[in-house]
Amino acid sequence: MKYTYLKCIKDGIRITDNYRAGQGIQIMKQKLVLKLVLLGDPGVGKTSLISQFVHAKFRNSYQLTVGLDISSKLIKLNDGRTVTLSINDIGGQARFAAIRHMFFKGAHLAMFVFDVTRAETLRNIVDPWHKELMEFCSQPDSTRSAIQTILVGNKTDLEDYRMVEDDEGEALAKKIGAQGYISASAKENLQVDEAFKRLAQSFFDQVRT
Amino acid sequence: MDIDTSYLDQFPTYVFSEIIGKWQNTSIKLEPNGLLSAENLEKTQNILESLSSNRLNHLQKLAGILTLTNVWWQVYQLSNPLSLSKIRLRPRTIDLVKLLPNDASKITAKFSVIDLCEHALLLVIEFSSRTRSLRDNYRFIYLPSINKILLEMKPLAEPLLKEELLPYLSSTPEKVSSKPIRARLIKKLAISPDDPQHRLNISFLKIRISLETSGIEGLQHIIIEGENVIRGVETLEQRHEISLKFMDSGPWVGVGTTDFHIEIQKGVKIHQLETDTFMRLNTVLNWY
């Protein structure tokens, strides 16, 4: 049975990420799974944000993400809805650029992450990160014409070393059409849940409107 | 007669000219490049030869207090300008019990002010005690035009400022707040204004490479030094058509010129106690 996307959300029916644009939604196992990709320069803290969000752990040492790491978490949104986030941690190194677009397939959500102590990582959100995602979305065989995005400035605990202000983050979020900007600290667990939940919530808000 | 002039190495030209002018009842003209610079050396020696031993001793003692170039200063903002009329070499008793609960001593402290130039005053609290072998001094540089005060990094500096110096110098309650050095100031200092011709000549730049960023133990900072490191890096990148990415690999945490050095978690170090230096320092510290 196929539902329209809007009807599905309105009826509170759980869906999988098998949704295909223009083809309705397939309902399987009554479980809604949203695929989320994290994008940003190496060392900005993508893995740390996921580790804090999923496992409530923070590691001081840095381990390079090779290609892709996937984890998932069931979350409850403010409106009481539950959703499983399938979180795809994509390696930020340039050498993974050639294969990165493969991981965008089927994504509903994208979180752009930069390091507030390195201004360069904010500039790189526009190009390559946002540019790559937009290029993927505009491809004819893309599964989605629009992915809900959010911009996250990580490492706000390093206040003395901070080189990017919140208003710069907010301005960039607006420029790239993201749902908003959140300054967070994976180390101190500040605004981490908020960032993931706000992004997931924006998916349903978009459907409603 | 050979006179030892080495202690005048860091002596501010302005202070020396003022003191000698007062003693000799005449105005002294020296180049603002230090007393032992090539332009001033002969004149300085002639002046010293004309002074009595008492006055030479006084200068030598003052030189000790004015040894400021290796000191790290912390920046504080004051809510109101200080009234300096009360500071006139007046001894005063300070109850150290307030500051050091384990020490019941009452210590005599002498407050004094020395004009380093028109833009900076040195406030000094000198302690002495007859019952204990205690001699120490605490120094503060007051920058009146931007209403900031620099504290020598010492254990009692902040309580002395808040509980002794400010109440003594101000009839109205003073609010004083610490202004820690942040990466934004360092970056602004290194690359502002946008017009490269008006930028400071940055001779030292320290970039923090944290473990989270580099992914390895053992690398903490990259330091680049030279006559003008920003211009040097830019030119090198253009000529060789390369990108020295280490400039963006971490926050800039320390920056230095021939006048001063500013570093996160350390503060400000002033290399020369001359008028031009303090003018530039006023400008820089007024940025935040």
Side-chain angles (χ1 to χ4, degrees):
Chain A
M1 177 182 181
K2 284 181 182 174
Y3 276 72
T4 64
Y5 200 68
L6 187 62
K7 186 170 167 48
C8 203
I9 300 302
K10 274 187 177 168
D11 292 351
I13 295 169
R14 296 176 176 190
I15 56 176
T16 67
D17 65 341
N18 291 340
Y19 166 67
R20 296 288 181 271
Q23 296 175 12
I25 292 166
Q26 292 183 353
I27 300 160
M28 291 173 66
K29 298 178 192 171
Q30 293 289 299
K31 187 181 174 191
L32 176 56
V33 181
L34 295 180
K35 178 176 175 181
L36 188 163
V37 291
L38 275 86
L39 306 169
D41 279 3
V44 295
K46 299 182 290 295
T47 308
S48 296
L49 283 168
I50 294 169
S51 173
Q52 186 60 264
F53 178 61
V54 177
H55 308 293
K57 278 182 186 163
F58 177 80
R59 286 177 64 174
N60 264 313
S61 59
Y62 169 67
Q63 266 196 323
L64 179 127
T65 303
V66 180
L68 178 75
D69 267 351
I70 302 175
S71 41
S72 68
K73 184 171 178 175
L74 182 74
I75 58 167
K76 194 171 183 181
L77 300 179
N78 292 339
D79 58 7
R81 198 190 310 265
T82 55
V83 56
T84 300
L85 290 181
S86 166
I87 304 167
N88 291 244
D89 183 10
I90 298 177
Q93 280 73 10
R95 63 177 176 272
F96 301 130
I99 55 167
R100 227 153 26 211
H101 64 276
M102 295 185 332
F103 307 133
F104 296 166
K105 197 173 178 183
H108 305 87
L109 311 167
M111 183 181 282
F112 294 112
V113 185
F114 71 95
D115 176 352
V116 296
T117 71
R118 290 185 287 151
E120 181 73 3
T121 62
L122 178 71
R123 288 195 288 276
N124 289 344
I125 292 294
V126 177
D127 187 2
W129 299 109
H130 183 253
K131 193 178 164 192
E132 268 185 30
L133 189 67
M134 290 303 103
E135 280 171 1
F136 170 77
C137 288
S138 64
Q139 284 169 9
D141 62 341
S142 165
T143 54
R144 204 162 304 283
S145 58
I147 293 175
Q148 292 301 299
T149 60
I150 196 166
L151 180 63
V152 175
N154 190 27
K155 305 190 190 177
T156 54
D157 52 289
L158 299 170
E159 182 55 30
D160 283 353
Y161 301 110
R162 191 166 177 168
M163 297 189 77
V164 181
E165 300 285 357
D166 283 346
D167 54 359
E168 294 173 75
E170 279 158 13
L172 189 81
K174 215 171 181 179
K175 185 179 166 185
I176 62 173
Q179 290 308 305
Y181 166 71
I182 286 186
S183 55
S185 165
K187 188 175 185 178
E188 303 287 334
N189 194 15
L190 297 172
Q191 301 258 77
V192 177
D193 283 16
E194 171 75 17
F196 283 93
K197 285 183 178 172
R198 191 163 148 194
L199 180 57
Q201 186 68 55
S202 73
F203 175 82
F204 298 102
D205 294 345
Q206 176 228 12
V207 171
R208 257 187 231 113
T209 56
Chain B
M1 182 179 72
D2 281 341
I3 294 179
D4 177 21
T5 55
S6 58
Y7 64 88
L8 295 176
D9 193 22
Q10 306 293 338
F11 212 102
T13 314
Y14 183 91
V15 178
F16 187 78
S17 307
E18 290 287 302
I19 292 172
I20 303 299
K22 219 176 274 177
W23 284 345
Q24 298 186 344
N25 206 18
T26 179
S27 69
I28 304 291
K29 285 201 174 162
L30 291 163
E31 296 298 320
N33 306 326
L35 295 174
L36 304 183
S37 65
E39 303 97 316
N40 291 334
L41 186 60
E42 197 181 335
K43 219 173 200 178
T44 304
Q45 282 174 333
N46 288 341
I47 291 169
L48 291 178
E49 280 172 14
S50 69
L51 297 178
S52 67
S53 57
N54 269 353
R55 285 182 167 172
L56 285 172
N57 285 342
H58 179 78
L59 283 180
Q60 201 158 0
K61 192 184 163 205
L62 206 50
I65 289 172
L66 290 167
T67 307
L68 303 171
T69 51
N70 279 323
V71 172
W72 282 110
W73 303 92
Q74 286 179 311
V75 185
Y76 281 71
Q77 178 74 53
L78 300 174
S79 57
N80 300 307
L82 291 182
S83 158
L84 297 165
S85 55
K86 272 191 174 179
I87 295 190
R88 286 294 170 253
L89 300 168
R90 193 180 303 179
R92 188 165 181 270
T93 301
I94 287 184
D95 186 0
L96 280 190
V97 179
K98 261 195 310 191
L99 308 177
L100 295 170
N102 297 329
D103 193 325
S105 314
K106 294 226 174 190
I107 306 289
T108 303
K110 194 171 77 176
F111 288 50
S112 58
V113 59
I114 298 165
D115 290 20
L116 294 171
C117 68
E118 288 157 12
H119 313 281
L121 297 108
L122 179 71
L123 310 176
V124 185
I125 302 177
E126 284 177 273
F127 288 119
S128 60
S129 167
R130 288 184 180 179
T131 55
R132 299 173 54 212
S133 56
L134 175 74
R135 285 194 83 81
D136 200 359
N137 61 47
Y138 277 77
R139 296 171 293 186
F140 308 82
I141 294 178
Y142 178 48
L143 306 170
S145 57
I146 58 170
N147 211 28
K148 286 192 167 66
I149 193 160
L150 310 181
L151 276 66
E152 185 177 4
M153 271 198 182
K154 274 180 149 184
L156 293 182
E158 193 178 318
L160 276 171
L161 172 74
K162 289 180 176 170
E163 294 176 34
E164 296 295 335
L165 198 62
L166 293 182
Y168 184 59
L169 295 178
S170 180
S171 48
T172 54
E174 277 284 354
K175 277 184 191 161
V176 59
S177 52
S178 169
K179 302 286 283 183
I181 304 292
R182 299 248 157 91
R184 282 161 286 208
L185 176 71
I186 303 278
K187 184 107 182 181
K188 195 172 180 184
L189 206 154
I191 60 171
S192 292
D194 290 337
D195 177 5
Q197 284 189 332
H198 293 100
R199 284 184 196 163
L200 295 169
N201 267 7
I202 302 301
S203 54
F204 172 93
L205 187 65
K206 188 172 178 181
I207 300 154
R208 179 178 184 262
I209 311 292
S210 63
L211 176 63
E212 302 96 302
T213 308
S214 67
I216 54 162
E217 297 276 6
L219 184 63
Q220 286 162 340
H221 297 111
I222 292 175
I223 291 173
I224 50 173
E225 287 177 300
E227 272 182 28
N228 185 335
V229 297
I230 303 294
R231 187 164 165 261
V233 167
E234 284 173 354
T235 311
L236 186 66
E237 287 183 331
Q238 281 167 11
R239 287 173 70 102
H240 290 241
E241 295 180 346
I242 53 168
S243 173
L244 297 176
K245 288 200 167 183
F246 64 81
M247 295 286 278
D248 291 312
S249 55
W252 296 3
V253 297
V255 68
T257 70
T258 48
D259 291 325
F260 47 78
H261 180 125
I262 296 184
E263 196 164 330
I264 292 174
Q265 294 177 345
K266 285 187 176 172
V268 179
K269 198 180 253 191
I270 305 167
H271 298 319
Q272 298 180 55
L273 304 172
E274 298 298 342
T275 306
D276 287 354
T277 299
F278 284 111
M279 277 174 67
R280 282 190 280 270
L281 190 63
N282 268 291
T283 308
V284 165
L285 295 182
N286 201 28
W287 280 347
Y288 80 115

